[in-house]
Every structure is written in structure tokens, then in C-alpha cells.
């Protein structure tokens, strides 16, 4: 009964001072929203990076000298990086003792008007199905049907972000290809690429003279990159940084990209933005806690007479304390729920746009990972409301009825 | 004046609905994504959504204008109900009826779709608030 009475009084009081409470709720929502956004962006990019590096599968990637930054950008954004080097470089790299496996890749940009109205300027990556160790393991399980399947000459594998389905037909440089499988998503730029068997890519280039609107000038002795897997150190291998140094020294025509460099670049891109967002949210959070404390102290002062009368009519100290604490918790709870819903919805909804603007990859976390984050934000906001409301609530509950009525007059 | 606030909010939502796919979060080939050489630019599926959302925006402005000019109980409840239906259509056109481009990184999917969904949710909230407010009027 006491709880119902306190809840009834809280409702009445909030209705009387609706505007003031709305401002408080909006402030809490802004503080929680900023905090949750920063945490979400951080988590999504870290997860994507982890998955993307696993997907890359190679310890090192060799590209023509000086073009490693181009490849780095292309892995992050999915914008085509077009460059070529001699195919013989792959054999020279394979000749090193510390190299376990190599596989070539070929980068091509599709024509602007590539047949389908909604898929154009696609990044085509030619891979060698016989030596590949980085792409096939990432075919989404439902497409592999539990068995290792050979990729046909007229088949391609599509990145998850292209919105394609198995069996769709794509047309590049006058040739039709069937989508043979979809790769599982990582949030990295390569989710927007189409992977084509390297021999089909050379054939497509050869036949483009007669079949395509624009000829694809590509000779079969050219490749764009070599993916390198190193031997384990116990089997005579070298650490990645030493192997990269060795390769760059002995083959001056190449530059080596180490996946760790990619991770560092992403961390750099993110750190400034996240630091700004976090400092702003801490500032808003402190200001909000102060604001709640101030507003409740003011409200208690304004309501001295009312509180005195309630005490004189038999309201206990506990009821007065509960009433003010309930108001503070309600402000904290409502604000944090609004902030949480809005920030989660906006960050997840605009994730591709944020990812592109910040130059970092994003992978949307599952619900299981969002729940702990949401509960922490909610608990923090409730705690803030409770701490901010504690002093005014204690002060109000300790007032003597007679003095409260006199000083409130 | 207080009775006309809902009408003004509805009109602003309608205006935002028109501006979003044209300028704020433009669909492919519009606003800041306009091609330098329109000659080779293929026609995109989202162009139909652009047209549909423009019409829905105009309808939302009209519904708001009626509430603004004649702030009566029945009119507010009626226009709020209309806003609720329009909010559903705002989300349904890009998701189901006219659709958008396939690639997740096309401007219409990255910016326009989440912005339209946000607007649709806002319209639904205002619609419900309008009905509740209208029921309280005499």
C-alpha cells in the first residue's frame, strides 16, 4: 500500500513539473546514448578486424613496391586497388625456405554499366582455386552443403555485402558468371568483392576484345598480389616481421603488407573519434548527475510546505525518502532506456555510413553481445540517478513537520 | 497555439521526408552522389522509392496542414491515424514495395534506408501521441 501511495504521489508530482523532468530525461538519454555509441563502435570495429584478419588467412601479402598502402585501403573500404606485377615473382617468393605456401590474386574493376541495374563498379578479385588457402574456407556453411566443392570456370564467389544469392547470374566484360557461393561476412571491404577463378579472369580479358563494350587489358603473365603463408618457427620458419624484411630486401620489386599493420591503422583511425566521443559523454554524464542533484534539491526546497503537511498528516520519513528516490530512479531509468534504444538503433542502422566515414570496418554483433552492454549502461544510469537523488531525499525525509511548514510559507 | 503544435510537427516531418532521399541522405545518383557523367549512369531501383517517398512527404504535409488550420478533436485524431498509416508506408516502400539497390554499400542502403526507418518510427510516435492528445480534447 505504502509503495502504491509513493508511486501515486510521484506520478502527480511529475505531471505538475513535466517540462523539468523532460529536460532531465533528455540529458540522461544523451549521456547514455553517447556512451553506448562509443562502446558499440569500438566493439563492432574490433570484432570486424578480428574476423577480417582471420579471413585474410595469409601471414604476409606481397604487392608491387610502394603499393602496400593502396592494398590496405582496399581491404578496409572495398575500393578497387588496381596494380599488376610479373607472375614470376610468385615463384621467387615460393623459393624461400621459410615460405610454406603461396597463392596469387588478381585485381580487376568491373565496368560501370555491368549489366545489373543495382550492381556496378564491382571489385573483382581473381584467385587460384588450386592453391587458394584464404577464400574457400570462408564460404558460408549453408552454401558448401557440408562437402568440399570444386568451383567451376563460370562460377564466382560473392562477398556477403553484395546482397547476392547462390545461383544469381552476373555479367562482367561480356561474360556471364553464376554465383556459386557466398562468403560469410566480416565487415571488411572484401565483403563487397566478387571472387573469380584466375583462369576465367584471363579468359574474360582475352575475349573482352570481341565481347565487351570496353577491352580489359590484362596479360596472363600478370598478377596483383601474392598471399604468403609462413612455415611455423619450429619447422624452420621466421617471425612475420623478419620474413617481410627478408623478402623486401631480396626482391626489391615488391612491398610486403603485414596484417598487423592493418590492425594498427584501424586502431589509429578509431582512437581519435572514440576519445572525443568518450570525453563528451563523460562530461555530459557528470553534468547530468549534477543537474539531477540540483533539480531535486530545488524541488525539495519548493516542496517544503507540502512535505511538512504530508509528515503532519502521518506520512513516515521512509515514504518521503522513497518518493524522492523513486522520482530520481524514474528519471535515470527512462532516460537511459531512451538513450540506449536510440543510440543502438542509430549506430546499427547507420553502421555502413559510419564505417565509411571513419574508415574502419564494422561487423554487427549478435544480440547476445549487445545485452551485457545494454545492462551495464542501464545500471550505470540508474546508479547515477540514485546517487544524485540520495542527498535531497535524505534531507527531505529528515525535515521536522512544523519547521518544514513554517519555512515553506 | 498549443493546439496547433501537432500540425506543425506533422508538416515538419513531411518536409524531412521529402528532403531525406533528395538531399539529406540522398539515394544513388542524387544530391552529393550525382554522377559526373550522367550518360553512362545506370538507372537504379531506388529511384522509384525516391518518387514514392516524395509523394508520401507531400501527403504528410497535407495531413499536417489540415490539423494546423482546423485544430479540432476529430480532425487531430483523424490526421494522427493517417500519419500512423503513412509511417507504415514510409518503411514499406523501400523494404518491400519499390525496394532499393542490392549492395549494402550503395548510398540508398547506407544512408537513405536507415534515415527513412528513423523518420517512420518518429511519425508513428507522433501519430500515437496525436491520438492520445486528441482524445483528451473536448
Amino acid at each position: 500500500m505504502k509503495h502504491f501511495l509513493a508511486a501515486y504521489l510521484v506520478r502527480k508530482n511529475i505531471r505538475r513539473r513535466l517540462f523539468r523532468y523532460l529536460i532531465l530525461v533528455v540529458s540522461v538519454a544523451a549521456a547514455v546514448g553517447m556512451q553506448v555509441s562509443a562502446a558499440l563502435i569500438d566493439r563492432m570495429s574490433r570484432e570486424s578486424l578480428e574476423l577480417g584478419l582471420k579471413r585474410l588467412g595469409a601471414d604476409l601479402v606481397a604487392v608491387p613496391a610502394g603499393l602496400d598502402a593502396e592494398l590496405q585501403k582496399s581491404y578496409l573500404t572495398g575500393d578497387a586497388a588496381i596494380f599488376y606485377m610479373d607472375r614470376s615473382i610468385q615463384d621467387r617468393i615460393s623459393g624461400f625456405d621459410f615460405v610454406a605456401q603461396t597463392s596469387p590474386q588478381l585485381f580487376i574493376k568491373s565496368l560501370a554499366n555491368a549489366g545489373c541495374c543495382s550492381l556496378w563498379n564491382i571489385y573483382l578479385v581473381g584467385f587460384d582455386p588450386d592453391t587458394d588457402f584464404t577464400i574457400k574456407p570462408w564460404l558460408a556453411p549453408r552454401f558448401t552443403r557440408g562437402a568440399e566443392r570444386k568451383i567451376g570456370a563460370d562460377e564466382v564467389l560473392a562477398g556477403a555485402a553484395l546482397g547476392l544469392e547462390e545461383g544469381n547470374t552476373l555479367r562482367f566484360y561480356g561474360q556471364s558468371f553464376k554465383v556459386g557461393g557466398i562468403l560469410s561476412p566480416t565487415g571488411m571491404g572484401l565483403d563487397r568483392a566478387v571472387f573469380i577463378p584466375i583462369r576465367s579472369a584471363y579468359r574474360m580479358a582475352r575475349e573482352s576484345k570481341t565481347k565487351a563494350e570496353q577491352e580489359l587489358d590484362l596479360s596472363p603473365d600478370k598478377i596483383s598480389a601474392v598471399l604468403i603463408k609462413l612455415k611455423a618457427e619450429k619447422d624452420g620458419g621466421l617471425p612475420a616481421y623478419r620474413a617481410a624484411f627478408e623478402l623486401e630486401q631480396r626482391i626489391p620489386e615488391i612491398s610486403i603488407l603485414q596484417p598487423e599493420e592493418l590492425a594498427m591503422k584501424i586502431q589509429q583511425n578509431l582512437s581519435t573519434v572514440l576519445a572525443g566521443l568518450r570525453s563528451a559523454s563523460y562530461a555530459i554524464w557528470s553534468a547530468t548527475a549534477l543537474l539531477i542533484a540540483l533539480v531535486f534539491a530545488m524541488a525539495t526546497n519548493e516542496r517544503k510546505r507540502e512535505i511538512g503537511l504530508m509528515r503532519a498528516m502521518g506520512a513516515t520519513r521512509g515514504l518521503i525518502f522513497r518518493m524522492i528516490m523513486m522520482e530520481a530512479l524514474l528519471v535515470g531509468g527512462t532516460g537511459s532506456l531512451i538513450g540506449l534504444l536510440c543510440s543502438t538503433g542509430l549506430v546499427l542502422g547507420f553502421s555502413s555510413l559510419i564505417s565509411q566515414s571513419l574508415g574502419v570496418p564494422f561487423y554487427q554483433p549478435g544480440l547476445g553481445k549487445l545485452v551485457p552492454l545494454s545492462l551495464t549502461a542501464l545500471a550505470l544510469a540508474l546508479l547515477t540517478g540514485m546517487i544524485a537523488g540520495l542527498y535531497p531525499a535524505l534531507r527531505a525525509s529528515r525535515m521536522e513537520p512544523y519547521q518544514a511548514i513554517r519555512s515553506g510559507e | 497555439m498549443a493546439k496547433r503544435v501537432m500540425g506543425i510537427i506533422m508538416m515538419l516531418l513531411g518536409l524531412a521526408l521529402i528532403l531525406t532521399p533528395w538531399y539529406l541522405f540522398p539515394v544513388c545518383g542524387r544530391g552529393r552522389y550525382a554522377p559526373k557523367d550522367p550518360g553512362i549512369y545506370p538507372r537504379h531501383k531506388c529511384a522509384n522509392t525516391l518518387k514514392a517517398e516524395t509523394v508520401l512527404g507531400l501527403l504528410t504535409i497535407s495531413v499536417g496542414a489540415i490539423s494546423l488550420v482546423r485544430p479540432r478533436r476529430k480532425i487531430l485524431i483523424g490526421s494522427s491515424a493517417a500519419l500512423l498509416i503513412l509511417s507504415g508506408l514510409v518503411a514499406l516502400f523501400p523494404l518491400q514495395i519499390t525496394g532499393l539497390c542490392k549492395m549494402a554499400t550503395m548510398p540508398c542502403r547506407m544512408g537513405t534506408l536507415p534515415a527513412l526507418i528513423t523518420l517512420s518510427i518518429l511519425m508513428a510516435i507522433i501519430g500515437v501521441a496525436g491520438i492520445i492528445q486528441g482524445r483528451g480534447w473536448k
Side-chain angles (χ1 to χ4, degrees):
Chain A
M1 188 63 197
K2 279 175 191 169
H3 290 294
F4 287 125
L5 181 61
Y8 171 79
L9 290 170
V10 166
R11 216 184 85 190
K12 282 268 173 200
N13 191 40
I14 287 179
R15 279 198 164 181
R16 262 191 297 167
R17 299 173 174 89
L18 194 60
F19 185 70
R20 188 185 292 174
Y21 283 100
L22 273 181
I23 297 286
L24 282 182
V25 165
V26 170
S27 311
V28 175
V32 172
M34 285 183 114
Q35 197 72 22
V36 170
S37 306
L40 264 178
I41 291 173
D42 191 21
R43 177 157 298 188
M44 282 161 84
S45 60
R46 271 175 212 277
E47 201 143 315
S48 170
L49 188 64
E50 225 169 83
L51 264 171
L53 292 183
K54 247 193 232 168
R55 156 80 72 82
L56 201 57
D59 298 314
L60 302 171
V61 185
V63 291
L67 293 170
D68 47 333
E70 289 271 306
L71 185 69
Q72 226 176 50
K73 195 177 152 220
S74 142
Y75 278 153
L76 292 180
T77 61
D79 293 337
I82 309 298
F83 44 72
Y84 300 107
M85 59 186 180
D86 210 81
R87 196 175 185 138
S88 63
I89 285 179
Q90 187 193 350
D91 300 329
R92 286 166 68 190
I93 294 172
S94 302
F96 285 87
D97 290 342
F98 52 82
V99 172
Q101 207 175 345
T102 59
S103 185
Q105 281 199 341
L106 186 70
F107 305 144
I108 305 162
K109 195 173 181 177
S110 77
L111 291 175
N113 45 355
C116 173
C117 64
S118 307
L119 274 176
W120 62 301
N121 271 343
I122 298 286
Y123 188 15
L124 292 170
V125 178
F127 71 104
D128 185 353
D130 300 330
T131 58
D132 167 65
F133 56 92
T134 65
I135 295 156
K136 280 191 291 178
W138 290 95
L139 273 171
R142 63 199 163 107
F143 293 99
T144 54
R145 296 193 191 95
E148 178 77 10
R149 191 159 70 83
K150 221 171 153 58
I151 293 149
D154 293 325
E155 276 187 317
V156 290
L157 303 175
L162 292 171
L164 294 167
E165 283 171 23
E166 195 183 8
N168 282 165
T169 303
L170 296 172
R171 219 170 147 72
F172 300 117
Y173 291 93
Q175 301 254 347
S176 292
F177 294 93
K178 215 172 97 183
V179 177
I182 308 288
L183 299 165
S184 33
T186 62
M188 301 273 281
L190 287 180
D191 280 359
R192 302 190 276 277
V194 167
F195 295 84
I196 175 172
I198 204 162
R199 278 186 218 101
S200 310
Y202 291 131
R203 191 193 67 211
M204 180 175 80
R206 202 173 51 242
E207 293 177 5
S208 68
K209 286 175 201 155
T210 51
K211 287 187 174 172
E213 285 175 27
Q214 198 182 310
E215 187 189 339
L216 174 62
D217 185 19
L218 183 68
S219 138
D221 58 357
K222 297 281 178 207
I223 52 172
S224 301
V226 179
L227 303 181
I228 305 164
K229 198 176 207 169
L230 298 173
K231 276 184 189 164
E233 280 183 58
K234 62 177 167 54
D235 300 330
L238 288 177
Y241 72 93
R242 288 239 346 248
F245 180 75
E246 194 83 6
L247 284 168
E248 280 184 338
Q249 288 295 308
R250 309 255 290 268
I251 312 176
E253 301 98 298
I254 59 168
S255 283
I256 299 288
L257 172 74
Q258 295 180 60
E260 284 80 14
E261 285 174 12
L262 205 63
M264 268 169 62
K265 165 123 179 140
I266 292 169
Q267 296 297 345
Q268 271 171 10
N269 284 357
L270 257 185
S271 57
T272 328
V273 178
L274 285 181
L277 210 56
R278 286 220 173 96
S279 343
S281 77
Y282 290 138
I284 294 187
W285 204 293
S286 329
T288 303
L290 276 174
L291 195 69
I292 295 178
L294 197 73
V295 166
F296 277 90
M298 264 167 54
T300 316
N301 258 343
E302 277 171 20
R303 290 159 68 190
K304 266 185 184 168
R305 195 172 137 83
E306 181 191 324
I307 291 169
L309 282 172
M310 280 167 68
R311 292 273 288 118
M313 283 190 293
T316 59
R317 286 178 197 274
L319 180 77
I320 303 292
F321 180 81
R322 265 200 309 279
M323 196 177 77
I324 293 175
M325 284 308 281
M326 253 185 182
E327 282 179 27
L329 283 176
L330 206 67
V331 165
T334 318
S336 61
L337 257 182
I338 294 173
L340 189 70
L341 287 177
C342 290
S343 59
T344 310
L346 289 175
V347 170
L348 294 186
F350 286 95
S351 60
S352 303
L353 201 64
I354 300 172
S355 157
Q356 206 187 49
S357 330
L358 299 183
V360 293
F362 265 0
Y363 180 75
Q364 297 212 351
L367 202 65
K369 286 181 180 164
L370 286 180
V371 171
L373 182 77
S374 315
L375 288 179
T376 315
L378 206 67
L380 268 174
L382 284 177
L383 196 71
T384 311
M386 223 166 81
I387 293 169
L390 199 61
Y391 174 68
L394 274 175
R395 222 178 107 215
S397 64
R398 281 180 187 161
M399 279 179 198
E400 283 305 322
Y402 175 72
Q403 285 219 317
I405 296 167
R406 285 297 305 274
S407 58
E409 269 175 349
Chain B
M1 183 59 199
K3 285 197 166 188
R4 296 177 200 269
V5 170
M6 272 296 170
I8 295 171
I9 295 175
M10 285 181 199
M11 286 180 77
L12 286 176
L13 280 173
L15 190 68
L17 196 53
I18 296 173
L19 291 178
T20 296
W22 284 96
Y23 302 107
L24 303 177
F25 293 95
V27 294
C28 311
R30 299 282 172 185
R32 58 182 174 275
Y33 303 116
K36 286 179 191 122
D37 179 7
I40 59 153
Y41 198 79
R43 188 180 156 72
H44 287 252
K45 214 174 164 185
C46 54
N48 296 329
T49 301
L50 172 74
K51 284 182 199 161
E53 296 297 340
T54 309
V55 173
L56 289 176
L58 289 173
L59 284 174
T60 310
I61 291 178
S62 317
V63 165
I66 296 169
S67 281
L68 182 71
V69 177
R70 294 185 74 83
R72 308 272 191 282
R73 181 177 186 268
K74 279 184 181 168
I75 286 176
L76 180 63
I77 292 176
S79 50
S80 301
L83 194 69
L84 265 180
I85 297 167
L86 285 170
S87 77
L89 289 174
V90 165
L92 271 178
F93 266 97
L95 290 174
Q96 292 291 332
I97 305 171
T98 45
L100 295 170
C101 300
K102 274 185 180 174
M103 264 172 82
T105 46
M106 301 291 269
C108 62
R109 281 219 176 260
M110 277 198 315
T112 321
L113 180 65
L116 287 177
I117 301 286
T118 310
L119 271 177
S120 156
I121 294 170
L122 277 178
M123 284 168 73
I125 293 171
I126 298 296
V128 172
I131 291 174
I132 294 170
Q133 195 189 22
R135 283 168 58 131
W137 285 2
K138 283 175 189 158

